[in-house]
Amino acid sequence: MALKRTVAVGAVALAVFSLQPGGAQADGRPGQGVVGGVPAQQGEFPWMVRLSMGCGGALYTRQIVLTAAHCVDGSGANTSITATAGAVDLNSSQAVKVKSTRVLQAPGYDGNGKDWALIKLAKPLDLPTLKTAGTTAYDSGTFTVAGWGATREGGGQQTKLRKAEVPYVDDATCAKSYGSSLVPAEEICAGYVEKGGVDTCQGDSGGPMFRKDETGAWIQVGIVSWGTGCARPRYPGVYTQVSTFAKDIAAGAASLGG
Ligand code: ARG
C-alpha cells in the first residue's frame, strides 16, 4: 500500500509538470525522456503520442489513444486533453495537436492494476497505429520503451522523445521487490533487476512498452504504469499487461466509435 501511495504522488507531480510551459528540464540541461536511453529518430515510433496532462500514449486507432488509467480523471465527455503527435520534438512545426472528445477509464480501476484508458480524439490523425498483443505470446524477451518523461528521478519533462530497451522480468522476481502491490495477472515487469540504470520514469506513464513480432512489426505488450523511483536496482518498472486487457480495450474502443 505504501508503494501505491508513491505512485499517487508521482501522478500529482506530473500534473504540476504539465502546468510548466515548454517542458524545460529542471536542472537546465538539454535532454530527452526515459532513464538510461538515447534519442528516438523522427518517424521511428510514429504512433507515439504526448498528452497534455504530462503522460504518453500510443495510437490504438487513428482516432483513439491508449494510455494509463492513472493519467485520466474518469470516464465521459472530456475536451480538456491535447494530444501531440507526428514529431519526436514536441516544439517542431511538424507536431500535430488535436483535442480529446471523450475518455474511457478502465472499468473497475481503483489504483491497483487495470491501469489502462482510451482517449478519443476530435479527428483522426494521418499516422500509423500500434498493434496490441492479444495473447501472452510476446510477454517475454527484450522490450522497447519510449517517452518524453524524466531522464532521472526528480528530473524534468523533456521536449524530445527518448527510447531504451529493457528485458522482461518474471512475476516471481518482480514480486520479490513489490510484494502484494504487484498484480501479476494484470501487470508485467521489465528492467535490469541487479543493476538498474534503464527505466521509464515520471511523465512516461501511459506510453507503450513494445517489441517486434515474428513479422518484424512492432506490437504493444505494456503500458507504463508505476515503479519505486526510477531505474533503481531491484525495482523494475511495472507495466499494464496489455494481453490481459486486449478484449476489454477492443470493446472500449468500439464503444468510442473506433
Ligand atoms: N507513474 C509514473 C507516471 O505517472 C510512471 C512511473 C514509471 N516508473 C518506473 N520506475 N518505471 O509517469
Side-chain angles (χ1 to χ4, degrees):
M1 275 296 115
L3 289 170
K4 289 297 182 184
R5 232 166 269 134
T6 303
V7 174
V9 170
V12 171
L14 274 180
V16 174
F17 282 136
S18 70
L19 295 174
Q20 298 173 341
Q25 195 159 309
D27 63 6
R29 288 180 299 127
Q32 299 88 17
V34 175
V35 181
V38 297
Q41 298 307 302
Q42 176 61 33
E44 194 176 5
F45 309 122
W47 22 256
M48 277 296 305
V49 174
R50 175 66 170 180
L51 299 168
S52 54
M53 83 292 278
C55 280
L59 287 176
Y60 181 79
T61 70
R62 295 200 310 147
Q63 207 171 346
I64 293 178
V65 176
L66 177 58
T67 186
H70 81 262
C71 289
V72 300
D73 287 334
S75 298
N78 185 325
T79 56
S80 73
I81 302 165
T82 301
T84 304
V88 291
D89 183 346
L90 298 174
N91 295 329
S92 138
S93 57
Q94 278 184 64
V96 179
K97 290 183 193 291
V98 57
K99 289 272 185 193
S100 60
T101 57
R102 283 196 86 72
V103 171
L104 178 74
Q105 192 179 44
Y109 173 70
D110 64 358
N112 235 6
K114 298 181 182 53
D115 195 7
W116 65 270
L118 296 170
I119 297 175
K120 176 99 182 205
L121 304 176
K123 61 175 199 297
L125 294 174
D126 191 15
L127 288 167
T129 57
L130 177 58
K131 195 161 61 148
T132 49
T135 72
T136 57
Y138 305 103
D139 292 354
S140 62
T142 300
F143 307 124
T144 301
V145 289
W148 289 272
T151 56
R152 56 180 176 75
E153 264 186 67
Q157 299 295 292
Q158 306 301 310
T159 59
K160 290 182 181 162
L161 184 64
R162 198 165 173 97
K163 64 170 179 177
E165 289 189 353
V166 279
Y168 168 73
V169 174
D170 65 81
D171 286 338
T173 303
C174 197
K176 281 184 194 158
S177 306
Y178 293 123
S180 59
S181 294
L182 184 73
V183 186
E186 302 184 359
E187 295 174 324
I188 179 171
C189 303
Y192 294 93
V193 176
E194 297 302 322
K195 298 202 305 192
V198 186
D199 198 4
T200 47
C201 199
Q202 266 54 43
D204 293 321
S205 274
M209 178 170 78
F210 46 96
R211 51 162 283 173
K212 294 262 176 85
D213 69 9
E214 63 286 325
T215 73
W218 291 118
I219 186 160
Q220 182 173 0
V221 301
I223 300 168
V224 180
S225 183
W226 62 280
T228 294
C230 304
R232 294 188 193 178
R234 290 179 305 286
Y235 290 102
V238 184
Y239 298 79
T240 309
Q241 191 163 6
V242 166
S243 59
T244 299
F245 299 106
K247 286 201 177 73
D248 296 333
I249 293 168
S255 79
L256 293 175

